[in-house]
Amino acid sequence: MGKYIVRRVIQAIPVLFGITIVVYAILLAAPGGPTARFANNPRVTEADREKFKKAWGLDQPVPVQYCRWMGICNPNNEGLAVFISDQGVPNFLPTAIGGGTNGILHGDFGISISTGQSVSSMIARAALPTAILAGTALVIWLILATLIGSFSAIKRYSFFDQASTVFAYVGYAMPTFWLGIMLIFIFSGPGLNILPAGGMTETRLSPPFGTEAYWAYFAANPFQAIADIGRHLLLPVITLVVVNIAGDSRFIRASMLESLSQDYVRTAKAKGLRNRVVWFKHAFRNAMLPFVTNVGLEIPFLFAGAIVTETIFSWPGMGRLTIDATRDYDYPLLMGVLLITAILVVFANLLADIAYAVVDPRIKY
Amino acid sequence: MTAQGSVEEIAVTIAERPAGTPPDESILLDVRGLQTHFHVMDGTVRAVDGVNFSVPRGGTVGLVGESACGKSVTALTIMRLLDIPPAEIVGGEVWFDGTEILGLPEDEMRHLRGNDIAMIFQEPLTSLNPVFTVGDQIAEQVRLHMKVDKKEAIDRSIESLRLVGIPSPEQRIKQYPHEMSGGMRQRVMIAMALSCEPKLLIADEPTTALDVTIQAQILELLKSVQARTKSALMLITHDLGVVAEMVDEIVVMYAGQIVEQGTAEQVLTAPTDPYTMGLIESLPNVEKRGGRLSAIKGVVPSPFNLPPGCRFAPRCPYAWDACRTTSPELVPAGGPGQRARCLLHTPAGAARRAAMLDTAASGGATAGQGA
């Protein structure tokens, strides 16, 4: 198993390298470019644009730009010396042994054009709100989807099964943005007005989330702070849960139905086991096998930011960061976000494969 | 033939008993007028249609018939393992160990399953749960019925694996089913079934999915453990060769009904029902070497469209007009206690039967001379 994990991690390296090229190529091919942000600003002259391009290194040939972004080339050197760091060793090596400091190989995702902050710090700041939202939603939706799916299969064609089928199709067909807006309209509209329409914290109550001042406030009033986040969390979590539960509960229902029709379930019954044990030990364990892979593929996209949900509820997470970066032609930020998403997908797949081997004794690596 | 197989006793075991009263103490399982139907989209399938037979304590009975004749459904009905719906137990009684079990509450039925009645299935490859070790799966049953602690349950699991001839059972219990061969898995199934020392073991085609050399081993094993544990055996098979070696009594089923029953010797050497005759004739035989194997012509009738008279009439070489309109009853035929569902054995068929026997005798004599 250990050998398998090491092999998979090593295999991931060329994959991730390929992803950097694809991300770079796609953004290069997209219309606009970093200077498109000035398109509607008549006060920016052609000379200003050239100055902007020079300042951000956009005047360099594309391979050089990519090479610098990756951290293989040293932007301070010219000619063949670009591959050598200021310390005189190959630039791509880790900083600790004299390699360069720039580029994603050294953890430097560059500077955001629109905010001037480092991309890594912006992503780090957005990661926690996304983790809170995605984590809460994921736990609730997996538990509910598993319960609903299993009971639907066990009580096939019962009223509960029919009702959950209808719920699943309605949930599946409902666009996220529409559900989100309806929830805001109902719970935050002038009628009820009991829940906040967006944001993560009450800004009149506490400093902005993520700042040092906020953590000081959090330490002073932890319960108040958590309750405040909880109130803001409610609507986006409901949105994510309703939309995602639909497909997953169907998945588990189908998987469970298949398990329940297997010979070993009949054997378990013939042993005299209680129905509960037959269902939730013998059938359920097998029904979960394909679902593990399914969840493994869903998780990275959730943690990369539920883009629509976060945007509707102004949740300061990765999804909103992606939208902001796109809208502002903030290429370094956009590339950083896309790359992080890709890394999450690669590693979530790895985790899913490992988890699969843990739950299914027939899989040996 | 063992002691249970004596002709007089068989005659007792298959005699009619009034409904609602327990059978004789010597009878472990008594199935009376069992009717199991399946309600499916195309209509109702009468999978088991009035089946009567009994299994004496420690005795062995073989349930024989082609695929879809209702033999497995009979077993699953006795175990009450059918999903209701689509299945429905329409009528009949099943007496086990002095209790009628079709009417038992599910809780009490569960105590019988795996404990007093154990079942071995046809497919050892899929009948074990792939995600639990075989030790877990046997110990689970032992703990459920024997009220022992975990350690003792594991010890008993090892013992039962040893009983079925699995080498180094201490290591084997930690293995998963996929790490074993088909024959090994069927041994595990047998070990599991025997782990709680059941009074009745139902084996539903236990060797069908195994290759021929393993089949013989598994049958040998079943026979030896059955003799040792003194449990009764109900063997379901389509293989007459298997029943010949394994059982004292034979019940032949066709299209949901019993067509012939009697001792193994009676049924195999002197069959009285044309269907049984056909089955036996289609067996390979040393005397018939070189010739083509005979087969029963035609196919099993559709369960939705059973013939109005005798269900075997369309395929029967001896059928006449009456067979297509009259449903025959199971009537005494042949030796003591032997019964067949055929009009030949009623007064209406007596003349034809005599003629048939004459032809068979002369035909047989000719064949004998030819060889």
Side-chain angles (χ1 to χ4, degrees), chain A residues 263 267 271 274 282 286, chain B residues 110 126-127 129 137 140 145:
Chain A
D263 288 348
T267 307
K271 284 156 88 171
R274 290 174 179 280
H282 287 268
N286 283 282
Chain B
R110 227 172 28 230
T126 53
S127 293
N129 195 323
Q137 295 187 54
E140 181 182 36
H145 295 298

Side-chain angles (χ1 to χ4, degrees), chain B residues 320-367:
Chain B
W320 72 96
D321 296 346
C323 297
R324 296 184 183 88
T325 51
T326 318
S327 288
E329 295 295 316
L330 205 53
V331 292
Q338 191 175 1
R339 308 208 294 172
R341 188 182 295 278
C342 182
L343 290 181
L344 283 175
H345 299 284
T346 62
R352 284 173 180 275
R353 187 159 155 266
M356 180 189 111
L357 288 174
D358 284 346
T359 347
S362 61
T366 324

Side-chain angles (χ1 to χ4, degrees), chain A residues 16 19-28 30 69 104 109 119 123 300-301 304-305 307 318-319 321-323 325-326 330-346:
Chain A
L16 290 172
I19 288 169
T20 62
I21 295 176
V22 172
V23 165
Y24 211 92
I26 287 176
L27 287 186
L28 206 65
W69 177 64
I104 52 177
F109 285 75
V119 169
I123 290 175
F301 292 103
I307 292 181
M318 294 284 286
L321 201 61
T322 312
I323 291 292
T326 314
D330 195 341
Y331 275 63
L333 183 57
L334 196 53
M335 289 194 294
V337 169
L338 290 177
L339 197 61
I340 292 285
T341 307
I343 292 171
L344 280 173
V345 171
V346 169

Side-chain angles (χ1 to χ4, degrees), chain B residues 29-179:
Chain B
L29 176 77
D30 194 20
V31 178
R32 301 176 188 170
L34 191 64
Q35 283 180 293
T36 306
H37 294 180
F38 286 93
H39 302 289
V40 292
M41 226 182 291
D42 294 337
T44 297
V45 177
R46 289 182 286 172
V48 177
D49 201 7
V51 163
N52 294 286
F53 68 93
S54 56
V55 181
R57 283 178 199 277
T60 49
V61 171
L63 218 56
V64 185
E66 286 171 90
S67 301
C69 71
K71 52 196 196 302
S72 291
V73 176
T74 304
L76 292 172
T77 308
I78 294 168
M79 289 290 276
R80 286 182 41 195
L81 282 178
L82 292 167
D83 286 330
I84 298 172
E88 187 193 353
I89 300 171
V90 180
E93 294 175 359
V94 174
W95 290 83
F96 177 78
D97 208 10
T99 316
E100 204 290 308
I101 59 173
L102 288 185
L104 273 189
E106 179 59 30
D107 272 354
E108 289 173 41
M109 188 62 211
R110 227 172 28 230
H111 289 297
L112 290 182
R113 278 191 214 121
N115 193 20
D116 291 326
I117 314 177
M119 190 159 173
I120 301 166
F121 297 100
Q122 183 172 352
E123 292 287 343
L125 300 180
T126 53
S127 293
L128 289 165
N129 195 323
V131 301
F132 299 109
T133 61
V134 298
D136 277 349
Q137 295 187 54
I138 302 174
E140 181 182 36
Q141 185 173 356
V142 174
R143 286 192 74 184
L144 182 69
H145 295 298
M146 305 275 240
K147 310 287 171 232
V148 294
D149 64 19
K150 202 167 181 178
K151 203 192 156 297
E152 199 180 337
I154 290 170
D155 289 345
R156 276 176 185 267
S157 311
I158 294 174
E159 257 336 285
S160 57
L161 286 183
R162 204 190 306 280
L163 184 77
V164 298
I166 290 184
S168 55
E170 297 84 357
Q171 269 89 58
R172 286 289 182 164
I173 60 160
K174 293 182 199 124
Q175 288 190 322
Y176 289 94
H178 71 273
E179 296 171 289

Side-chain angles (χ1 to χ4, degrees), chain A:
Chain A
M1 184 67 119
K3 243 170 92 183
Y4 170 74
I5 296 172
V6 170
R7 201 171 72 223
R8 282 294 303 265
V9 170
I10 293 172
Q11 278 172 356
I13 293 172
V15 173
L16 290 172
F17 188 72
I19 288 169
T20 62
I21 295 176
V22 172
V23 165
Y24 211 92
I26 287 176
L27 287 186
L28 206 65
T35 55
R37 64 206 327 269
F38 306 122
N40 296 325
N41 191 340
R43 282 183 297 178
V44 177
T45 61
E46 196 55 38
D48 290 335
R49 280 171 204 255
E50 289 309 317
K51 226 167 89 186
F52 174 83
K53 279 188 174 175
K54 200 167 168 53
W56 288 91
L58 297 167
D59 53 341
Q60 300 289 321
V62 170
V64 175
Q65 289 185 38
Y66 170 78
C67 182
R68 285 179 177 179
W69 177 64
M70 277 296 287
I72 299 169
C73 297
N74 182 355
N76 301 334
N77 288 346
E78 296 285 329
L80 274 181
V82 290
F83 297 111
I84 305 301
S85 75
D86 295 341
Q87 265 70 42
V89 302
N91 197 65
F92 69 87
L93 290 173
T95 315
I97 58 167
T101 54
N102 66 305
I104 52 177
L105 286 177
H106 306 104
D108 176 11
F109 285 75
I111 305 289
S112 159
I113 296 177
S114 52
T115 65
Q117 296 168 335
S118 82
V119 169
S120 4
S121 74
M122 291 178 76
I123 290 175
R125 229 180 8 259
L128 184 59
T130 286
I132 292 173
L133 175 60
T136 314
L138 188 72
V139 168
I140 295 176
W141 118 45
L142 287 187
I143 291 174
L144 286 181
T146 309
L147 288 176
I148 293 174
S150 306
F151 279 109
S152 291
I154 290 166
K155 303 282 175 214
R156 192 180 187 182
Y157 304 139
S158 64
F159 176 75
F160 177 81
D161 183 28
Q162 312 275 12
S164 75
T165 304
V166 171
F167 171 80
Y169 283 124
V170 171
Y172 207 69
M174 200 148 41
T176 315
F177 66 87
W178 185 83
L179 176 63
I181 290 168
M182 283 302 119
L183 286 175
I184 292 174
F185 180 73
I186 295 167
F187 292 101
S188 319
L192 280 174
N193 198 13
I194 47 172
L195 287 171
M200 187 170 173
T201 51
E202 188 62 63
T203 42
R204 283 166 299 181
L205 203 74
S206 61
F209 183 83
T211 58
E212 270 176 44
Y214 178 82
W215 292 117
Y217 158 79
F218 188 92
N221 317 289
F223 296 112
Q224 198 185 343
I226 290 171
D228 185 35
I229 291 180
R231 264 165 47 83
H232 286 80
L233 206 51
L234 211 53
L235 293 185
V237 164
I238 290 174
T239 308
L240 281 176
V241 166
V242 168
V243 170
N244 287 296
I245 215 173
D248 279 359
S249 67
R250 291 271 97 188
F251 189 102
I252 290 178
R253 178 181 182 271
S255 186
M256 189 76 177
L257 277 178
E258 195 185 319
S259 276
L260 285 171
S261 68
Q262 296 294 313
D263 288 348
Y264 53 75
V265 166
R266 194 183 51 189
T267 307
K269 284 184 192 159
K271 284 156 88 171
L273 294 170
R274 290 174 179 280
N275 281 340
R276 225 175 35 229
V277 181
V278 174
W279 293 332
F280 293 110
K281 185 178 171 191
H282 287 268
F284 184 73
R285 178 85 192 269
N286 283 282
M288 280 299 105
L289 299 182
F291 190 59
V292 168
T293 312
N294 194 48
V295 171
L297 296 177
E298 283 173 347
I299 289 177
F301 292 103
L302 194 60
F303 281 88
I307 292 181
V308 176
T309 310
E310 286 190 5
T311 306
I312 289 170
F313 291 99
S314 314
W315 194 262
M318 294 284 286
R320 216 183 59 172
L321 201 61
T322 312
I323 291 292
D324 289 351
T326 314
R327 195 191 50 217
D328 294 344
Y329 294 95
D330 195 341
Y331 275 63
L333 183 57
L334 196 53
M335 289 194 294
V337 169
L338 290 177
L339 197 61
I340 292 285
T341 307
I343 292 171
L344 280 173
V345 171
V346 169
F347 280 94
N349 267 299
L350 174 61
L351 279 180
D353 285 350
I354 293 169
Y356 199 73
V358 171
V359 293
D360 190 343
R362 284 166 296 184
I363 309 290
K364 286 273 181 296
Y365 296 116

